[in-house]
Amino acid sequence: RNRDTEVFVMNPDGSNKRCVTCDSSIPKGFVGQPAWYPDGQHLIVQAENSNSRHGLFNHMSWGIDNDLWIVKVDGTGAQRIFATQAGQAALHPHFSEDGRTLIFAEREPTGHKLRGLARLIGPGGENPWDGWRIHIADFDISKSGTAMLSHDRTIQPNGGGFYETHEVHDGQIVYSHTDSGRPYVANVYTVKLDGSGERSLTHGDGTWNEHGSYSPDGKRFTFMSSRFDSSWHYPGSKAKDLRTEL
């Protein structure tokens, strides 16, 4: 056994399971966080790069020293479309419904070192919950490699802290934000692609709310939340304690 991961697809009933990345040219290691391109024939995934130490924060759940790759569902045609620098992160990539826009959460090293033993744990000695922003880029699948992305821009609609991007729905980015580098306290928001019109969809003060997603008709909204148990807080609780609300 090793700690490497791969991306698989299967039918809704669990049949026809097949590995997308096993025989692809995507580097081995932590590979995950897949999201569909609208044509249903491509996936975008995160994959750790040569700067990674294959540690906690290099896992695709954090995305530090992860690059973004696009690959066909049959595992062919893999191309790296976004490369991070050492200590930078790319997390939770998603396409807009028309495939012309890509969003993901991005972290840049802050230069602010933690004190004491905490400095030995955080990435580069820093608070992993700070230094994040939302990265937005135009996308053109007819081009190659990093040229698929253009007009890159970043926004921080709620200021500093930790961002996770969930989807683009009807021209709005759905995301969660943790303020001021606090761990495991977040709400779900929407914001227009130009960074204006930020709106909170959840109001769970002191709870963890994330992975928001609209139904296709826009009438229903789901998200994952710790609010079922008001005593849930880090570090005494684990991610498995979360529930899904409809």
Side-chain angles (χ1 to χ4, degrees):
R1 287 191 171 189
N2 58 40
R3 296 187 299 167
D4 293 351
T5 61
E6 302 283 2
V7 171
F8 293 77
V9 295
M10 64 182 181
N11 296 335
D13 63 2
S15 64
N16 195 27
K17 182 183 74 173
R18 56 200 188 276
C19 183
V20 176
T21 56
C22 290
D23 297 320
S24 75
S25 59
I26 296 174
K28 296 302 178 183
F30 291 135
V31 181
Q33 300 286 18
W36 289 103
Y37 182 70
D39 67 359
Q41 300 301 312
H42 295 81
L43 289 168
I44 188 170
V45 300
Q46 295 171 215
E48 64 176 320
N49 59 36
S50 59
N51 293 315
S52 171
R53 296 183 178 182
H54 203 59
L56 169 64
F57 295 106
N58 305 123
H59 190 268
M60 56 273 188
S61 59
W62 282 98
I64 293 178
D65 294 322
N66 281 204
D67 296 336
L68 301 181
W69 290 71
I70 194 164
V71 59
K72 293 180 180 178
V73 179
D74 64 4
T76 63
Q79 299 184 69
R80 185 173 66 175
I81 64 172
F82 183 82
T84 61
Q85 302 299 312
Q88 188 183 23
L91 180 66
H92 290 309
H94 294 280
F95 290 107
S96 59
E97 297 100 325
D98 62 7
R100 298 174 62 184
T101 303
L102 175 68
I103 64 166
F104 57 94
E106 177 185 60
R107 183 183 186 270
E108 294 281 355
T110 64
H112 303 304
K113 303 298 183 182
L114 296 169
R115 296 182 180 181
L117 293 177
R119 186 169 182 169
L120 301 177
I121 300 174
E126 299 181 353
N127 181 354
W129 299 93
D130 205 3
W132 294 84
R133 58 196 183 189
I134 297 173
H135 190 122
I136 307 165
D138 296 347
F139 183 79
D140 186 347
I141 201 170
S142 69
K143 297 185 178 180
S144 299
T146 56
M148 291 184 181
L149 302 185
S150 63
H151 301 104
D152 296 72
R153 58 271 192 201
T154 61
I155 59 173
Q156 289 181 306
N158 303 77
F162 178 64
Y163 287 87
E164 286 184 298
T165 42
H166 306 320
E167 67 175 2
V168 180
H169 176 80
D170 196 23
Q172 303 257 344
I173 299 171
V174 181
Y175 67 97
S176 57
H177 176 253
T178 300
D179 187 39
S180 303
R182 296 185 301 163
Y184 293 106
V185 180
N187 278 303
V188 181
Y189 301 83
T190 60
V191 70
K192 295 178 182 179
L193 287 168
D194 64 5
S196 66
E198 171 266 314
R199 182 168 68 99
S200 178
L201 300 181
T202 63
H203 303 280
D205 185 31
T207 61
W208 180 247
N209 307 282
E210 64 171 350
H211 294 299
S213 181
Y214 280 97
S215 61
D217 62 8
K219 294 181 179 180
R220 291 174 174 84
F221 182 76
T222 64
F223 63 100
M224 189 169 69
S225 177
S226 67
R227 64 177 64 194
F228 83 103
D229 182 354
S230 60
S231 68
W232 192 99
H233 59 85
Y234 180 83
S237 301
K238 305 296 182 183
K240 66 181 181 180
D241 298 327
L242 295 175
R243 295 291 185 271
T244 299
E245 295 190 8
L246 300 177

